[in-house]
Structures are given as structure tokens and as C-alpha cells.
Amino acid sequence: MKCPGCGANIQFEDPKKPGYIPREAFEKRLEEGKEILCQRCFRIKHYGKLEPIEYDWDFRNQLKSYLGGFEVVLWVIDIFDFEGTYREDIANLLEGKDVVYVINKLDLLPRAVTVKEVKEWVKKRIKAKDPERIRIVSAEKNYGLKSLVKLLARLTDKALVIGVTNVGKSSLLNRICTHENTISSFPGTTLGILRRKVKGENLYLYDTPGIMTKDRILDLLDPECQKTILPKEELSRKTFKPERNRTIFMGGLCRFDVDYETERSPIFLLFSSREVTFHETRRERADELMKNRLGDLLKPPCSKARYEDFTWKKEKFVLNEGEELAVAGLGWMSVRRGPLTVEVTVPENVKLVVREALV
Ligand code: GDP
């Protein structure tokens, strides 16, 4: 039996895969003689919201099939979590398309950072050939959206919109589109996508499901906790000038053991959401805190979690002045006086990247 919305085979086993519907819901609707849509299409139809989908082999193929119908792709990326939301594997799939890179959430950066600086920084890190195609915006503050729409309308009358979860893709589309939604299916694909009309333009944007990643700290938190931890206003930052043998926590899921050979201690800043606790302690106490204070003194996680609930890894870095160590889905460390050696402890899959300073 196929879902009439997207054409996927109806199944009861895996909520993350196409065609899923809870068995009870299926039986109830069958009994009542109502249309049987898969859960995803049901939610699209009734709430105008696409369910996120895992970025697995199947989705990659789906994305390829959608791409066939579009010349222009709008890729929404989060400046707060560039490493977690700009992905090489996606960039490779977009080869040959006219990609507009929408760098969202500008409002989270300190005001001292200019749009021009952000754009320069992004330009060095992505595959855009034309700087015109990099747009720095804030969906929240309605910044940069008008000129984005103008650019798109100049390029095309339809574009595909993609992005990993929580980058603000829905917020952006809600700002620039009307409330008309149509589920569209594409030959060779099983996931319906949502067609939306841009206000005041002969331009349609096709919204795809948010892509779920597995290597951001955010991905390890329950949905309620994600909501609290996602930064809503300018990031909090704190300066550290640690003595020897100190440990600094950025929440409970990221620990920095800092060392240095120089006489003067290094100086660095941490940047993260205001809901993330920064905590400095003696190295001897750090293990105990990690074992007993996750979700309490050290947030995220948001509720009491056990050290054993996670599989941890340790990675060592030597950072110089002007470099940052980004922790995907959480924040970053920015070095102001180096060099410093840091051993980072995070859950196993979490992506750690050394980069040129953004701030
Ligand atoms: P989606 O999963 O990509 O569709 O993301 P949403 O639109 O649901 O947004 C995820 C979170 O980011 C929500 O809490 C939004 O309020 C927030 N958000 C979206 N755009 C912005 C922005 O420009 N600035 C800030 N500070 N937050 C934003």
C-alpha cells in the first residue's frame, strides 16, 4: 500500500524512513474510512511542516532526484554552527548547480563583527565562485531578506531549498513566502516536498525536509533541550586566562584541558548560547564533575544524565593566536594569546574543527 501524498510504501517499523505511520493511527483511519497518509505527509498537509529526515544513502539519492528539476538551489547555513551546517558531502552533491548560500543568524554574532568580514570569512571556506551568491542574513531580524529575494527573482522562477535541521530554514521561508502550501511529488523520489510562493514575486521555493546530522552536540540532546540551547540572542562569551592544570567546561558535553609551555598563560574566549554553562575548575576535580554534575552544574544536557550515557573521545590540538576550535552544534574557543595545547573531551561522533577566527 502506498501513501497517496508521496508515493512511499506505507510501513510501521521506522519513523525515520519514508512511508511511516504508527500502526494504531493506521488502523484507526482505516476503520473510519479516512485517507491514509504517511505521518510525514499528514503533517505537511495539516501543519505545513516537513519532518526532518536522516542524511543517509537513501536521502542522498532522493536529493539527487530533486536536484534534476532545478537549476538554482538555496542552501541555508547557520553562522553560529558553520562546521555543523555547511557540509562537504552536500556541497559535492550540488556540483554544477547555481547555489545561493544563505548564511543565517547574523544577529547571534557580536555587533563588532561586520557583514563584510563575515562574508570574507565564509568566502574562503565554501565553493562559491561568485561572492554575489553568498548572502548574510538574519531571518529573525528580517535582515538581508529583501535583497535575497531580489537576487532569486532575477535568477529564476523556481528554486530548491535545502539545509540541515535548525538552521532557520522554516523561519526564513515563513518570512518571505505566503501561506499557500502544496505538496509536490517528483518522479523517482518518495519524499514529498513543499511548494511555497514568494510574496510579491513570480517565484516558487520548494522546501525539502531538514537533514538530520549526527555529529553536532545539538543532535545528542532531546528536542526540548535543543529548543532551550539553541541561541536566541547574541552569543554569550567569556574570557579565560587559566593557570596551569585547569579544566574549562563548555556545558557538560565538552571539556577543555588546557596546557602551555610558555611563561605567560594563554588567553582565549568561549562563545556559545547563553543557556550553555561555562565552568572553570581544577583538573583533579574535573572527572568528578563530569560524573556527577551533568545536566545540573554543567548544561547541556538539560536533565540529569550519566557519564556512561555517552561514549567519549579525547582529541589534542595546538592552537595559535587567531585560531578557533569549533565544536559542532555547541560553540567555539577563540585564542587571543597562544600557543595553547588543549585536550578536548566530547562525545564520540562530535565534529571538532580548527579554523581561522571568525570573531
Ligand atoms: P529549520 O529546522 O531549519 O526549519 O529551523 P527553524 O526555522 O525551525 O529555526 C530553528 C531555531 O532557530 C528556532 O529556534 C528559530 O527561532 C531560530 N532562528 C531561525 N532564524 C534565526 C535567526 O536569524 N536568528 C536567530 N537568533 N535565531 C533564528
Side-chain angles (χ1 to χ4, degrees):
M1 176 172 190
K2 288 189 189 306
C3 165
C6 59
N9 286 324
I10 292 287
Q11 51 99 4
F12 311 115
E13 286 78 36
D14 190 347
K16 290 176 184 152
K17 297 262 150 61
Y20 174 77
I21 176 172
R23 195 180 285 277
E24 315 79 68
F26 173 81
E27 283 166 1
K28 186 151 176 273
R29 295 188 73 79
L30 195 64
E31 213 171 274
E32 292 168 356
K34 288 188 181 152
E35 181 185 39
I36 295 171
L37 287 167
C38 73
Q39 191 170 61
R40 289 174 36 78
C41 287
F42 184 85
R43 291 187 179 161
I44 296 173
K45 187 165 174 185
H46 295 280
Y47 314 121
K49 175 106 185 145
L50 292 164
E51 291 290 291
I53 183 101
E54 257 180 88
Y55 188 63
D56 56 9
W57 178 86
D58 188 45
F59 185 64
R60 250 189 292 264
N61 279 333
Q62 299 267 334
L63 192 56
K64 273 192 212 157
S65 314
Y66 300 137
L67 283 169
F70 296 88
E71 282 310 308
V72 178
V73 179
L74 202 74
W75 183 3
V76 187
I77 295 159
D78 182 348
I79 192 63
F80 160 67
D81 187 18
F82 188 86
E83 280 64 32
T85 64
Y86 174 82
R87 328 237 355 149
E88 284 299 329
D89 42 8
I90 298 179
N92 292 337
L93 283 176
L94 300 179
E95 211 63 63
K97 298 289 165 190
D98 189 352
V99 183
V100 178
Y101 301 85
V102 180
I103 315 296
N104 189 30
K105 306 199 190 179
L106 175 68
D107 55 290
L108 295 177
L109 297 183
R111 267 155 229 229
V113 187
T114 66
V115 174
K116 196 163 164 246
E117 286 167 335
V118 178
K119 198 163 168 169
E120 281 303 312
W121 184 88
V122 172
K123 206 168 84 186
K124 285 189 212 152
R125 307 206 48 198
I126 70 179
K127 292 196 168 174
K129 288 177 195 85
D130 179 359
E132 256 282 283
R133 297 290 191 270
I134 302 172
R135 295 295 163 140
I136 314 294
V137 308
S138 165
E140 187 71 27
K141 303 280 181 221
N142 209 351
Y143 173 84
L145 303 186
K146 250 195 205 154
S147 95
L148 170 68
V149 167
K150 249 198 228 154
L151 168 73
L152 290 172
R154 187 152 55 77
L155 295 178
T156 185
D157 57 3
K158 62 166 191 172
L160 190 71
V161 187
I162 63 165
V164 304
T165 52
N166 290 316
V167 292
K169 184 157 68 62
S170 314
S171 309
L172 178 93
L173 294 176
N174 288 340
R175 281 264 183 213
I176 63 178
C177 295
T178 66
H179 294 295
E180 280 171 50
N181 293 325
T182 323
I183 308 180
S184 307
S185 55
F186 280 74
T189 66
T190 51
L191 296 178
I193 60 181
L194 205 55
R195 187 179 83 144
R196 305 192 61 172
K197 185 179 183 309
V198 175
K199 286 180 207 160
E201 299 287 344
N202 177 28
L203 172 62
Y204 288 90
L205 298 180
Y206 289 76
D207 189 14
T208 56
I211 303 163
M212 272 191 278
T213 54
K214 293 194 182 118
D215 54 10
R216 298 184 281 171
I217 292 273
L218 210 56
D219 301 329
L220 303 170
L221 308 174
D222 59 73
E224 270 310 301
C225 186
Q226 285 189 1
K227 248 189 241 160
T228 18
I229 296 303
L230 272 167
K232 287 152 204 81
E233 47 195 340
E234 190 177 313
L235 298 176
S236 74
R237 62 180 142 169
K238 189 169 176 193
T239 308
F240 292 88
K241 198 178 154 189
E243 315 242 304
R244 283 173 211 283
N245 271 317
R246 304 290 281 177
T247 289
I248 288 111
F249 286 97
M250 185 155 66
L253 302 180
C254 175
R255 159 181 172 176
F256 299 112
D257 290 342
V258 179
D259 273 315
Y260 49 95
E261 309 274 310
T262 46
E263 224 161 82
R264 293 196 305 170
S265 71
I267 300 176
F268 62 86
L269 276 79
L270 293 187
F271 289 84
S272 189
S273 162
R274 288 174 193 231
E275 303 303 321
V276 171
T277 54
F278 298 154
H279 186 79
E280 181 176 343
T281 187
R282 281 180 286 122
R283 184 78 40 91
E284 308 87 75
R285 272 208 78 205
D287 280 348
E288 188 253 310
L289 289 185
M290 262 184 119
K291 294 245 152 69
N292 299 318
R293 305 299 296 272
L294 293 187
D296 163 19
L297 178 71
L298 306 175
K299 280 186 186 174
C302 300
S303 50
K304 207 96 179 110
R306 289 172 317 135
Y307 177 83
E308 293 77 19
D309 294 343
F310 303 90
T311 316
W312 302 88
K313 71 168 173 186
K314 287 179 190 294
E315 265 185 57
K316 222 171 197 175
F317 299 89
V318 179
L319 302 172
N320 294 304
E321 195 169 318
E323 285 184 328
E324 290 177 348
L325 176 68
V327 183
L330 183 69
W332 65 89
M333 165 191 264
S334 184
V335 179
R336 296 297 149 94
R337 187 167 78 194
L340 83 98
T341 306
V342 59
E343 186 177 72
V344 190
T345 310
V346 285
E348 199 175 21
N349 291 332
V350 173
K351 188 169 167 188
L352 300 169
V353 179
V354 177
R355 66 187 194 188
E356 184 186 313
L358 166 64
V359 179

